[in-house]
Amino acid sequence: MSASITSSASESSLCAAPPSIEVVNNKNEEEHQDIMPSVSTESTNTNDGGILSADDASAKFIVQRLKELYRNHVVNAEKQYHLHFNFSLPTDGEIKESEFDAAPMVLLIGQYSTGKTTFLNHLLGEDFPGMHIGPEPTTDKFMALFHSGDKDDTANTTADAKTIKNAGFRKKNKKNTDDDASFKTTPSIVTDDIRAAGRLVKGNTLTVTPNLPFSSLSQFGSAFLNHFVGSASTSPLLKRLTFIDTPGVLSGEKQRLNRTYDFGQVAKWFADRSDLILLLFDAHKLDISDEFKHVIDVIRHHNDDKIRCVLNKADCVTREQLVRVYGSLMWSMGKIFDSPEVVRVYTGSYWNGNLINNDFEKMFTKDEKLLVRELIDLPRCAAERKVNQMVNRIRLVKVHICILGTIRNMTPRFFGKKRYREQILAELDVILDNVRVEFNLSKGDMPDAKEFAANLNKFHDFSVFPPINRSLIKKLDSLVEKDIPEIVSQADVVSSETLMSQVDEKIEQPSAKEEVEVVKEATAAVEKAKKADANAFGVLGRIITFLLLLIVSVEAVYYISFGNPAYSLPELKSAYSKLFDTAKNNPKVSEIKSQITSKIQTTSVAPPSSVPVSGTAKQRSPLSSLPTKSGVSFEKKDTQPLKNPSSDSKAEL
């Protein structure tokens, strides 16, 4: 990010930013100017609505498939190698079902009195239960802001979009800015009954609520859960996002002694599951304490790409002071993150009042638009971030399996375990390098040797780890290289099909009877195609089976006769000709052939008639005594054998 500081009349921005977004103006441009960007989570345009529904369908498909992939292949490997809560994964412990389905989460962290709660009030456009704003450290609890669901979600989406678009953002009265020092706020369109709606939910209740992603917070015990509450509000923005407001980071021993829970670890739990992390700083009193620096160091592991800085209350200082404060903040962030890339900084005054010093009003307006745009785009990019996190997790699981399996193979089974344990911990750097080379692992995926040694110290016996499972490693590689890309490509198909179905519904809405007929015709066509394929396959299968049996029979006869298989058709032909010649010359075959020929000749020559022998009684047929309709008896009459007719009488016969 480049910082360009100018003091011209146009007040250019202190940091590079994308092209500006159009500012939505009221009808009376001379009196009021709305600085809220024209973006919303639910658009009134039908095309945008179709895109949103298609994105939602694609996101649901991706999340469901990732959930199945994690349950079937990844979580068992994590449990088998004792990775939960023992080694550095993107999220400690198992990923719960509710965490997959949760709305995108935004975490706010800062020192006390930096305007975190005021920022949320300004963003939501209304008060929320449990809100307390003051110059002293007022927020003493972690507070989760989520949608209550009390109101009818099927209400007009146009009103929701308008509320997200306009509620809570200042409208400057140009006539009174210079004359009146008081801050006038434009009434929000949120009504009093909605403002009063909402409820507070205690921490223990939040951990057992199935549709909220806070169940694994029970690991921190009642000491933390007593300082954790949920604020259920009806703000339209909370339908798509969940915000986490945190207590201010204190200085000195107060941060460590006055809190009965580990603030850094709790903040890391929320940071690991958040989609965006906002670090708030007060431009009027910029001071990054050692405790705040420690919290940033804890949460930034695996989360560098999520962190953004917000320089709040920038209108409380003059132009020259703001330049110095901005430079000091950039210098401090460079030392903390220790990288050449600079963290994105949004500068402005995030509250519902008018600006005190409007020297950099255009820059504040642009940064506010960009920040709101990034927040509202979070739900659309949630599925892609889940894919990114799952791929990262699988890669880290594979690395840990290779390292722990190698350590297990180096550990003796019975004697000398303690001595080898100390040797492994002492030579862990060399072991990690050898594992990386052996399994062709990326150097960026390898853990820090000191941190990994501290995690290994939790185990007194390294033989508890399973040996290297190469089939499991291949399966994890297949998940990253084949299965997850296939899920993404299928999600694109789902999105396009959803869009096409919506277009078809808009073009023509068929009646119920027509839909039934179309379904019947489609079913009949499918069944017909299946039968045709089955018949074609059946005939082809019979032909192929017959040919295979014929080939096997011919080859079997050859093998039985000569003791070795045939490798060519000419060889088979010559062999079978020899067999036929041998069979012809065999005397037994000739004898059998002559016997068969004589039998055929004797059976083919039959007596012409049955003439009774003289002196014997004529035999009667058993059918001769049966009566018939015509009265003709079945008894055979005495007949003389026919003589050979001449050629002239053949026609008469």
Side-chain angles (χ1 to χ4, degrees), residues 108-128:
L108 278 71
I109 297 181
Q111 295 176 289
Y112 75 92
S113 190
T114 55
K116 298 183 295 296
T117 307
T118 306
F119 176 86
L120 291 174
N121 181 31
H122 175 65
L123 189 66
L124 300 179
E126 62 180 73
D127 297 344
F128 51 88

Side-chain angles (χ1 to χ4, degrees), residues 349-362:
S349 182
Y350 299 93
W351 70 316
N352 293 336
N354 293 327
L355 298 177
I356 299 176
N357 295 323
N358 57 359
D359 293 338
F360 290 103
E361 181 180 1
K362 290 185 179 180

Side-chain angles (χ1 to χ4, degrees), residues 372-440:
V372 174
R373 171 69 71 179
E374 186 171 5
L375 289 172
I376 294 178
D377 285 343
L378 285 178
R380 294 188 180 184
C381 306
E384 287 76 6
R385 282 191 301 274
K386 285 183 172 60
V387 170
N388 178 57
Q389 293 171 0
M390 182 57 64
V391 171
N392 184 29
R393 190 180 186 93
I394 292 174
R395 292 171 65 92
L396 292 178
V397 169
K398 174 190 171 183
V399 168
H400 282 76
I401 288 175
C402 296
I403 296 173
L404 297 176
T406 303
I407 292 175
R408 169 65 178 83
N409 294 338
M410 296 173 61
T411 303
R413 183 170 297 180
F414 297 108
F415 304 104
K417 292 183 178 180
K418 184 177 180 181
R419 179 168 58 85
Y420 275 93
R421 179 179 181 275
E422 295 176 354
Q423 183 179 354
I424 289 171
L425 292 176
E427 301 176 355
L428 191 58
D429 292 338
V430 180
I431 295 173
L432 294 180
D433 290 337
N434 295 335
V435 170
R436 180 178 61 83
V437 174
E438 179 182 356
F439 294 95
N440 195 21

